[in-house]
């Protein structure tokens, strides 16, 4: 085998090549195996990949506890292809620092207890708390390169239960910063019964469900990866001496995700924890799963407690309710006195499941599933289902006629009378051209820039099977060319549990549909697909905005175009100072990027992004968490995706939203964005999209300097696919 010169030059690792030459051949034969375009290693020189073999996997072979309590574990350190790594970083690059935990589940209980604890002292006041801890100072024996046996310094206590389920966890990091490959983190866990037998460990939620929002669940600097290790320390033993708050997983996780919706927070008591980085404030966390209001922590089964996740105790939340778990969200309940618990004291958890059965006969009853129903997703809703059948006369200068159907879930046809009055609503929206929207005028009487919305209810004709026809009152512009679009949106009002004490009114919407048509006889070219609603719903569960009317990206972009803003609502802003400010752009790319950049705007750039919505609601998506005025509806969005170092707010992970590598396909040449509150107005399309995240002035100056008045933007020269500063390359994590 010929060894590349660049490998020979690495110096202190030269001898290691001989030890792992077979590994080099294997990796070279499977170039970039185990890496995606979102990893730094994907772009590293092949010689570096062959030599370094980046990544880290920790596999536990076996574990045992001797009769005297001595704990030992046999484990392997490998790269992602299973090839051995030297923990010392001598025979293979990158020293690895493993750490060791051990815990067990006492008989008759459900949660872990750590054999090893330490005392934590509050930074002020001297309060203390006993917390689970890791082992240090034990002995490591090398079996082979990459395989080791670690004997714990701490022992299991005398009389430990050898028939109980135990869990060993090893977490560690591999330092590859000298190769510009960052620090690789990994965690391995192993369940066993020291006396022999099948372990039954705690297994309620799975990483895959957490990662739908977080992408890669990792905490404490990134070193602890996954729920399996979290629950070993975050259990009833654990609390914060600084705040007195429990760090038990079911309590801690429920509270921090519920954040601003906690009764205690709404009553003026902040929820925060003193951790590795000092105090962390969770009082403004907005759980993204919900519908029109975004936050709805009742959506348990669609988010964390996924019944299809394969966890052994995936139904624990339904079958074994407890004061700690339920009281973590319902923290205004006093179980000792019965306050806010229908005046019934609850001294233990033995009878919780007697009243709170998994599912009752009605929604909104005392059953667990019933109590967590979101009204807008009520199963009693008859349903509202649209199809767009065809567009006739959809040509330049003519008023198009649209044929569509409206039916309920049983297939029964609905007519215009079914969408009249109350909160019922139906609208057809026409916009275009589909590939370059934003500045089309549909008439001097149309105040909405780039589109026109019409109400078909008064004049549409419908047959009994729900097939309807409507002719727009506005025409396709006389000089229109290319492909235009028409979308349908609507909702119906619903009374739930009528004539009962639980009676409530709500709304539910139909799934938007969009149809494309050519206005000049040219081939129909639908709008490009940039993001997927499925990706949105990984976090949002069922994203539905504007009063249950809009729930598909194809519909959103008809209105959220480069010329659209909040001018129609700003004069009625609930914060008077906002009324006289210029309108805020709500172009889709700018708006979504800025909303999800959120709190990073204030922290990293000293900027902000706020929209005046319907009814004058003031939505400040960039405000820092502290000292938020009550008049602000939404504040300080913190994008939940986690960085390799375990921090939330990592907006470099474009793939969480984008599809079809669309982040690499720039909208060069499309309509500029009217950004009257921005530094550059109008802003070229690509400049607007990118600087919505990269909000420092230097980034905007760079984009502006690379835009020619005659030829336009040149972003793709450096940042296009395969270029030196390819978007995926500069956004790649370690």
């Amino acid at each position: 085998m010929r060894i590349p010169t660049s490998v020979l030059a690495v110096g202190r690792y030269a001898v290691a090549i001989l030890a792992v030459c077979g590994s080099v051949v294997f990796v070279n034969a499977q170039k970039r195996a185990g890496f995606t375009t979102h990893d730094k290693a994907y772009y590293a020189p092949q010689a570096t990949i062959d030599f370094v073999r980046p990544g880290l996997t920790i596999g536990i072979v076996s574990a045992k506890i001797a009769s005297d309590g001595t704990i030992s574990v046999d484990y392997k350190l490998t790269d992602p292809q299973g090839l051995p790594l030297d923990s010392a970083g001598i025979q293979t690059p990158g020293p690895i620092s493993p750490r060791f935990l051990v815990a067990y589940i006492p008989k008759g209980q459900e949660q872990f207890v750590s054999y090893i604890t330490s005392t934590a002292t509050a930074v002020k006041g001297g309060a203390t708390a006993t917390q689970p801890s890791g082992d240090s100072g034990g002995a490591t024996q090398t079996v082979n390169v990459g395989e080791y046996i670690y004997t714990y310094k701490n022992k299991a206590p005398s009389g430990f239960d050898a028939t109980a389920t135990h869990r060993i966890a090893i977490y560690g990091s591999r330092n590859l910063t000298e190769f510009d490959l960052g620090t690789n983190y990994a965690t391995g866990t192993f369940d066993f019964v020291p006396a022999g037998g099948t372990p039954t460990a705690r297994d309620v939620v799975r990483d895959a469900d957490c990662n739908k929002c977080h992408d890669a669940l990792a905490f404490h600097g990134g070193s602890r990866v996954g729920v399996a290790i979290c629950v070993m320390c975050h259990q009833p033993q654990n609390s914060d001496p600084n705040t007195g708050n429990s760090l038990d997983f079911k309590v801690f996780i429920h509270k921090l995700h519920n954040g601003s919706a906690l009764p205690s927070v709404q009553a003026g008591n902040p929820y925060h924890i003193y951790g590795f980085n000092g105090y962390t404030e969770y009082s403004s966390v907005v759980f993204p799963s919900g519908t029109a209001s975004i936050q709805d922590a009742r959506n348990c089964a669609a988010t964390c407690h996924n019944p299809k996740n394969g966890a052994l105790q995936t139904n624990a939340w339904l079958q074994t309710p407890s004061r700690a778990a339920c009281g973590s969200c319902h923290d205004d309940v006093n179980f000792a006195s019965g306050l806010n618990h229908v005046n019934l004291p609850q001294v233990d958890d033995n009878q919780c499941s007697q009243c709170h059965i998994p599912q009752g006969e009605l929604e909104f009853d005392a059953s667990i599933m019933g109590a967590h129903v979101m009204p807008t997703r009520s199963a009693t809703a008859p349903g509202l289902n649209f199809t767009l059948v065809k567009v006739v006369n959809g040509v330049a200068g003519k008023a198009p006629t649209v044929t569509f159907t409206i039916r309920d879930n049983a297939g029964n046809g609905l007519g215009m009378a079914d969408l009249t009055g109350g909160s019922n609503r139906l609208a057809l929206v026409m916009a275009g051209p589909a590939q370059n929207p934003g500045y089309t005028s549909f008439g001097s009487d149309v105040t909405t820039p780039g589109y026109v919305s019409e109400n078909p209810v008064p004049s549409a004709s419908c047959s009994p099977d729900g097939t309807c026809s409507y002719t727009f009152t506005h025409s396709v512009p006389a000089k229109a060319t290319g492909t235009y679009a028409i979308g349908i949106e609507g909702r119906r009002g619903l009374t739930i549990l009528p004539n009962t004490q639980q009676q409530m009114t709500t709304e539910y919407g139909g799934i938007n549909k969009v149809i494309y048509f050519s206005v000049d006889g040219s081939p129909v070219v639908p709008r490009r697909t940039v993001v997927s609603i499925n990706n949105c719903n990984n976090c949002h569960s069922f994203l539905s905005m504007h009063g249950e009317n809009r729930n598909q990206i194809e519909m959103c972009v008809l209105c959220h175009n480069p010329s659209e803003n909040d001018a129609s609502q700003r004069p009625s802003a609930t914060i008077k100072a906002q009324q006289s400010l210029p309108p805020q752009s709500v172009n889709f790319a700018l708006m979504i990027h800025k909303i999800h950049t959120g709190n990073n705007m204030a922290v990293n750039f000293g900027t902000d992004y706020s929209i005046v919505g319907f009814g004058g609601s003031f939505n400040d998506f960039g405000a820092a968490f502290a000292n938020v005025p009550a008049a602000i509806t939404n504040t300080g969005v913190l994008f939940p995706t986690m960085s390799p170092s375990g921090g939330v707010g990592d907006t470099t992970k474009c793939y969480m939203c984008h599809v079809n590598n669309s982040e690499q396909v720039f909208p060069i040449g499309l309509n500029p964005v009217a950004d009257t509150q921005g530094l550059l107005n109008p802003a070229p399309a690509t400049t607007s999209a990118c600087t919505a995240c990269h909000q420092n002035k230097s980034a905007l100056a760079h984009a502006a300097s690379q835009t020619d008045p005659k030829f336009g933007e040149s972003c793709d020269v450096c940042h296009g696919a395969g270029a030196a500063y390819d978007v995926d390359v500069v956004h790649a994590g370690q």
Side-chain angles (χ1 to χ4, degrees), residues 147-181:
E147 183 173 2
Y148 307 90
I149 294 175
Y150 178 78
T151 302
Y152 285 62
K153 181 178 180 180
N154 291 276
K155 292 187 176 184
S158 176
F160 76 94
D161 186 355
T163 66
T165 292
H166 288 63
R167 177 174 289 175
I168 293 282
I170 305 174
Y171 62 93
S173 60
R174 183 187 180 198
N175 188 341
L176 296 176
T177 54
E178 66 177 297
F179 302 99
D180 193 29
L181 292 170

Side-chain angles (χ1 to χ4, degrees), residues 176-443:
L176 296 176
T177 54
E178 66 177 297
F179 302 99
D180 193 29
L181 292 170
T183 300
N184 304 157
Y185 298 102
T187 292
T189 60
F190 184 77
D191 297 337
F192 69 108
V193 176
T198 302
T200 305
R202 187 166 183 80
D203 181 21
V204 177
V205 296
R206 289 285 178 89
D207 294 350
D209 291 314
C210 301
N211 290 343
K212 286 188 297 186
C213 279
H214 293 297
D215 185 52
L217 190 69
F219 284 98
H220 304 300
S223 62
R224 270 143 278 193
V225 182
V227 174
I229 190 172
C230 295
V231 298
M232 293 179 67
C233 293
H234 287 282
Q235 30 89 343
Q237 277 179 301
N238 205 346
S239 64
D240 174 17
N242 299 276
T243 63
N245 287 322
S246 170
L247 296 178
D248 180 12
F249 193 82
K250 61 183 180 293
V251 176
F252 175 53
I253 296 300
H254 282 174
K255 276 189 170 291
L256 71 87
H257 282 88
N258 216 7
S260 59
L262 289 171
S264 59
V265 169
Q266 294 183 347
N269 300 308
Y271 179 65
H272 51 261
I273 297 293
Y274 191 91
F276 285 86
N277 297 314
Y279 281 102
T280 301
E281 176 70 56
Y282 298 105
S283 299
S284 291
V285 170
V286 175
F287 189 52
S289 179
T291 54
S293 63
I294 298 298
Q295 175 158 348
D296 202 319
R298 291 174 293 185
N299 209 8
C300 311
T303 50
C304 306
H305 296 285
N306 176 8
K308 299 179 181 180
N309 64 7
L312 296 176
Q313 297 115 25
T314 189
N315 290 322
W317 71 289
L318 291 172
Q319 298 170 345
T320 55
S322 67
R323 292 166 299 162
C326 299
S328 58
C329 287
H330 305 281
D331 64 4
D332 57 344
V333 172
N334 187 318
F335 290 103
S337 69
L339 177 67
N340 294 325
H341 192 244
V342 292
N343 298 323
L344 291 176
Q346 195 77 21
V347 298
D348 55 37
D349 297 335
N350 294 333
Q351 296 185 35
C352 295
S353 61
Q354 299 301 306
C355 292
H356 302 294
I357 61 175
Q359 186 169 15
E361 296 177 336
L362 298 172
E363 295 177 332
F364 308 101
D365 60 13
S367 71
I368 296 171
M369 292 188 70
H372 290 90
V373 170
M374 294 183 296
T376 56
R377 306 301 294 159
S378 171
T380 66
L384 184 63
N385 302 286
F386 304 127
T387 62
L388 290 171
V389 180
K390 62 181 179 179
V391 176
V392 177
N393 208 35
V395 296
K398 302 292 185 179
T401 298
V402 188
T403 301
F404 57 96
T405 67
I406 310 179
R407 297 187 176 102
D408 64 18
N409 290 339
N412 301 310
L414 300 175
M416 295 300 99
D418 298 301
L419 291 159
T420 302
S423 61
N424 296 328
R425 183 179 181 274
L426 184 68
L428 290 165
V429 178
M430 178 166 55
Q435 291 297 324
N436 193 18
Y439 291 89
T440 301
S441 174
F442 287 90

Side-chain angles (χ1 to χ4, degrees), residues 78-111:
T78 69
D79 69 7
Q81 284 72 52
L83 300 172
L85 296 173
D86 174 23
S87 65
I90 297 174
Q91 298 190 62
T92 57
I96 301 169
S97 304
R99 298 290 184 268
F100 304 87
L101 303 174
V102 60
Y104 77 108
I105 301 179
K107 290 292 178 63
Q109 298 185 29
E110 298 178 337
Q111 292 186 255

Side-chain angles (χ1 to χ4, degrees), residues 10 55 61 73 232 272 337 400 534 574 700 727:
V10 179
V61 179
V73 56
M232 293 179 67
H272 51 261
S337 69
N534 294 329
T574 54
L700 184 60
V727 168

Side-chain angles (χ1 to χ4, degrees), residues 412-680:
N412 301 310
L414 300 175
M416 295 300 99
D418 298 301
L419 291 159
T420 302
S423 61
N424 296 328
R425 183 179 181 274
L426 184 68
L428 290 165
V429 178
M430 178 166 55
Q435 291 297 324
N436 193 18
Y439 291 89
T440 301
S441 174
F442 287 90
S444 59
D445 62 327
V446 178
T447 59
T448 50
Y451 67 97
V452 61
S453 177
E454 295 192 7
N455 175 14
V457 172
S459 58
S461 59
C462 299
S463 61
D465 71 349
T467 300
C468 304
S469 178
Y470 173 76
T471 299
F472 272 78
T473 61
H474 293 87
S475 299
V476 176
K479 295 183 179 180
T481 59
T483 298
Y484 273 54
I486 291 176
I488 188 169
E489 62 187 34
R491 68 177 180 226
R492 296 187 73 189
L494 176 67
T495 299
I496 302 173
L497 298 175
N499 304 316
T500 71
Q501 293 298 307
Q502 289 277 49
Q503 177 176 314
M504 66 187 77
T505 58
T506 188
E507 301 163 344
Y508 64 95
I511 300 297
N512 306 137
K513 297 295 170 61
V514 174
I515 189 170
Y516 296 95
F517 58 99
S518 174
V519 300
D520 61 359
S522 61
V524 174
V525 182
R527 182 183 172 92
R528 67 195 182 281
T529 300
V530 177
V531 297
S532 166
I533 192 63
N534 294 329
N535 287 358
C536 300
N537 288 340
N538 280 335
C539 279
H540 293 294
S541 177
F542 182 78
L543 186 64
S544 181
M545 308 298 291
H546 302 301
E548 296 299 307
N549 277 296
R550 284 147 234 176
N551 46 57
Q552 299 296 306
I553 303 300
E554 294 81 2
M555 192 73 190
C556 297
V557 296
L558 297 183
C559 300
H560 289 280
N561 61 62
S563 61
E564 177 69 304
N565 54 44
D566 66 356
S568 63
Q569 303 298 322
R570 189 158 286 273
S572 61
T574 54
I575 295 180
K576 190 171 183 179
Q578 291 290 325
Q579 295 176 1
S580 59
L581 292 181
Q584 178 67 267
S585 171
V586 292
N587 179 50
F588 196 79
L590 179 148
M591 178 183 71
I592 297 302
H593 282 176
K594 285 198 172 187
I595 285 176
H596 288 84
T597 300
N599 193 49
N600 289 346
M601 288 190 281
V603 174
N604 297 331
F605 308 114
T607 56
D608 200 8
Y609 181 68
S610 54
I611 299 172
V612 178
F614 291 107
S617 62
F618 184 63
N619 306 275
D620 191 340
F621 299 102
F625 283 175
N627 304 315
V628 176
I632 298 179
T633 307
N634 295 309
T635 65
V637 172
L638 197 58
F639 191 51
T641 300
M642 305 188 80
S643 69
S645 60
V648 292
D650 186 357
T651 55
T652 65
K653 297 184 175 181
C654 310
Y655 55 86
M656 294 294 287
C657 303
H658 283 264
V659 295
N660 304 324
N661 294 319
S662 58
E663 71 275 12
Q664 293 188 322
V665 182
F666 305 140
I668 293 174
L670 299 188
N671 282 328
V673 176
D675 188 6
T676 52
Q677 285 200 19
L679 295 174
L680 181 62

